[in-house]
Amino acid sequence: MQVSSGDSLDSVPFWVQLLALVLLISCSAFFAMAETALMAANRHRLRHLAKRGNRRAANTLWLLERTDKLLSLVLIANTLINAMATALVTAIAIATFGHDENVITISTGVVAFLLIVFAEISPKVIGATYPEKIALPTGVILKPLMTVAKPVIWFVNLFVSIILKIFRIKQRGNAQEARLSPEELRSIVLESGTFIPQKHKSILLNLFDLETISVEDVMTPRSQIEALNLAVPVDEIKHQLITCIHNKLPVYEGEINQIVGILHVRKAVALLQEDELTVDHFRALLTVPYFIPQDTGVLAQLQYFQENRERLGIIVDEYGEVQGLVTLDDIIEEMIGEFTTSMPGAARADRFGWNEQGECLLEGATALRDVNKRLGLHFPLDGPKTLNGLLLELLQDIPDAPISVKIGNCVIEVIQVQHQSIKVVKLKRPSAARHG
């Protein structure tokens, strides 16, 4: 005698059948939600929690280090559960309405709809919305399941590896996936929102910028260096030392390119009480100057300062001519921003901004990087480093003030020219920036 497919369910109450269906859909939803949450979880945050002793985070990391086995477990479980759910709904439909093709078709559509809505889309959206909150508890369940299902996972992955070899597809190691490029790290910092204080975020972004600039970008230009000339009368040297606001001074003889040493001002001030003071007294206090090639990277120079226990360096070009001066303070300020220096009451050249009329008065020696950063402009940085250099390159001549030029969308008016260089300029705020 032939037994219908519905006979086996006659002895099972209808509510038990529905409960079994709900349970199967819930299990399918669990695996779908767990898979999405684990793949979307922030591994750096999980590592941080694991280092602090969080066992659930350690379990989750253990699973993510075995992504191929984890995905196999989830897909095997989901496929079996979905197949059982489909079979159960079909059996219920046949037991209730008989062997009708339309009923079977409708029941298949209903179970497909239920699985798509309640076991796929909804749980995956939830998993993607709360990845860490879901990944941590589900990892506790999936880890023992992976151990129990190890033989089945191995058998399935055996065929998967054969297929991958046929198509010559190489699997990437998890160590490679965990690596982040500087650009990705920068994006993480920018998108951190309120998790990182604004000041800390600024410091981190400045650190990334240090890799792209050289000491030439942060140096004090040659024309602005305060140095001591041993070729002048001793009275002039004494006057300069009394009025000096720096701790150390480069010392030269006759011409700035002939630097003979670095003078510690405090030690030199102690000599000012001598009756018969000569240049040799100052020369005896000089330390060996520290020279830096102009294309040295800022990060590399920071390390060189540390290794050589120096705080001040003279920047020279390929011909040995002095181009500028850089100090440890200059590099630190580039990282953390301005801080109180030994310049009492002196207005720093890089403290500027637009006034109410949308104008800004600057020295020609102002660095283009500072102008771009503080005024929100976009002057090119791959050529001249100062406003003076940019204008001279553009005009191909030393201009007669007043004259105005437009670079990009910014109008620059030359106010004063002195000693073959542009001394003072006025920038007019672009209209787009004015209303921004």
Side-chain angles (χ1 to χ4, degrees):
M1 181 179 67
Q2 186 177 2
V3 181
S4 66
S5 60
D7 292 341
S8 60
L9 292 177
D10 290 341
S11 59
V12 181
F14 183 72
W15 69 268
V16 174
Q17 299 174 29
L18 289 180
L19 183 63
L21 179 61
V22 171
L23 181 62
L24 288 174
I25 293 177
S26 299
C27 290
S28 179
F30 166 78
F31 284 105
M33 183 170 58
E35 176 193 5
T36 304
L38 285 166
M39 294 301 105
N42 188 322
R43 299 194 184 194
H44 303 288
R45 189 174 301 164
L46 292 175
R47 288 192 186 93
H48 171 69
L49 293 174
K51 287 179 180 178
R52 297 182 63 179
N54 190 312
R55 283 191 170 186
R56 296 192 302 175
N59 285 337
T60 305
L61 284 174
W62 185 87
L63 291 170
L64 291 175
E65 289 171 357
R66 297 158 177 81
T67 307
D68 54 341
K69 296 181 178 61
L70 173 64
L71 291 177
S72 297
L73 170 66
V74 171
L75 292 176
I76 290 171
N78 248 339
T79 301
L80 292 177
I81 291 171
N82 291 345
M84 291 171 62
T86 303
L88 179 60
V89 170
T90 303
I92 292 173
I94 293 175
T96 305
F97 300 102
H99 292 275
D100 188 331
E101 292 183 0
N102 293 329
V103 171
I104 295 174
T105 301
I106 293 173
S107 65
T108 302
V110 169
V111 72
F113 174 79
L114 293 175
L115 290 174
I116 290 173
V117 174
F118 296 104
E120 287 294 330
I121 296 178
S122 296
K124 286 187 175 181
V125 170
I126 296 172
T129 305
Y130 307 102
E132 283 81 21
K133 289 183 179 179
I134 294 173
L136 292 176
T138 55
V140 178
I141 301 173
L142 291 177
K143 186 176 180 180
L145 281 179
M146 185 179 290
T147 304
V148 173
K150 191 173 181 179
V152 179
I153 294 173
W154 174 84
F155 181 74
V156 172
N157 281 348
L158 180 65
F159 290 91
V160 172
S161 60
I162 293 173
I163 294 173
L164 292 178
K165 286 181 180 178
I166 292 174
F167 289 96
R168 298 179 180 180
I169 299 174
K170 293 183 179 180
Q171 291 179 282
R172 293 190 304 171
N174 293 298
Q176 288 181 324
E177 294 176 5
R179 294 174 184 169
L180 293 174
S181 67
E183 291 75 17
E184 290 170 328
L185 285 172
R186 186 185 180 93
S187 298
I188 291 174
V189 174
L190 286 170
E191 296 172 4
S192 60
T194 58
F195 290 104
I196 302 179
Q198 186 60 40
K199 182 62 178 178
H200 297 174
K201 187 186 297 185
S202 176
I203 292 173
L204 290 172
L205 294 175
N206 288 339
L207 284 175
F208 291 124
D209 291 337
L210 289 187
E211 291 191 349
T212 62
I213 62 177
S214 67
V215 291
E216 195 176 10
D217 294 301
V218 300
M219 72 179 184
T220 300
R222 169 175 170 160
S223 60
Q224 297 181 17
I225 294 178
E226 183 178 358
L228 195 67
N229 184 5
L230 293 183
V232 301
V234 174
D235 288 340
E236 290 188 23
I237 296 176
K238 291 171 64 176
H239 177 73
Q240 184 174 354
L241 290 174
I242 292 172
T243 58
C244 179
I245 61 173
H246 299 286
N247 292 327
K248 293 182 178 180
L249 288 178
V251 178
Y252 63 95
E253 288 192 271
E255 202 268 325
I256 188 67
N257 288 317
Q258 304 299 321
I259 291 182
V260 294
I262 304 297
L263 179 66
H264 199 297
V265 176
R266 289 182 181 177
K267 294 180 180 179
V269 170
L271 294 176
L272 299 182
Q273 306 301 325
E274 296 286 340
D275 294 332
E276 298 181 359
L277 191 61
T278 65
V279 172
D280 291 333
H281 287 89
F282 297 111
R283 189 177 280 110
L285 297 177
L286 299 182
T287 57
V288 178
Y290 178 52
F291 294 102
I292 305 169
Q294 64 180 4
D295 58 350
T296 304
V298 168
L299 270 182
Q301 187 54 50
L302 181 62
Q303 182 179 351
Y304 296 153
F305 272 144
Q306 184 181 25
E307 292 174 352
N308 296 295
R309 297 187 177 182
E310 296 281 354
R311 298 181 63 90
L312 182 148
I314 307 299
I315 300 174
V316 295
D317 63 11
E318 58 185 315
Y319 303 107
E321 294 189 357
V322 174
Q323 300 299 307
L325 176 149
V326 67
T327 66
L328 181 61
D329 290 351
D330 293 329
I331 299 178
I332 293 176
E333 285 195 359
E334 194 66 25
M335 291 189 294
I336 68 174
E338 298 173 18
F339 57 92
T340 303
T341 67
S342 58
M343 299 174 65
R348 290 175 55 85
D350 54 359
R351 289 178 179 165
F352 54 81
W354 301 112
N355 61 20
E356 295 180 356
Q357 290 73 38
E359 298 176 342
C360 182
L361 206 63
L362 292 175
E363 293 184 0
T366 305
L368 291 174
R369 290 188 70 254
D370 290 335
V371 175
N372 286 349
K373 186 184 299 184
R374 295 181 174 278
L375 301 183
L377 300 176
H378 304 283
F379 291 133
L381 302 176
D382 52 352
K385 305 299 181 183
T386 64
L387 281 169
N388 173 62
L390 179 66
L391 291 170
L392 292 181
E393 182 183 66
L394 177 67
L395 299 172
Q396 298 292 312
D397 193 8
I398 299 173
D400 293 326
I403 184 175
S404 296
V405 296
K406 188 174 185 179
I407 300 179
N409 57 354
C410 180
V411 176
I412 305 176
E413 182 182 351
V414 177
I415 303 297
Q416 182 182 358
V417 177
Q418 186 179 17
H419 302 306
Q420 291 77 49
S421 67
I422 298 172
K423 188 70 174 176
V424 181
V425 299
K426 181 193 291 182
L427 277 63
K428 296 185 179 179
R429 191 173 189 175
S431 55
R434 190 188 303 267
H435 296 96

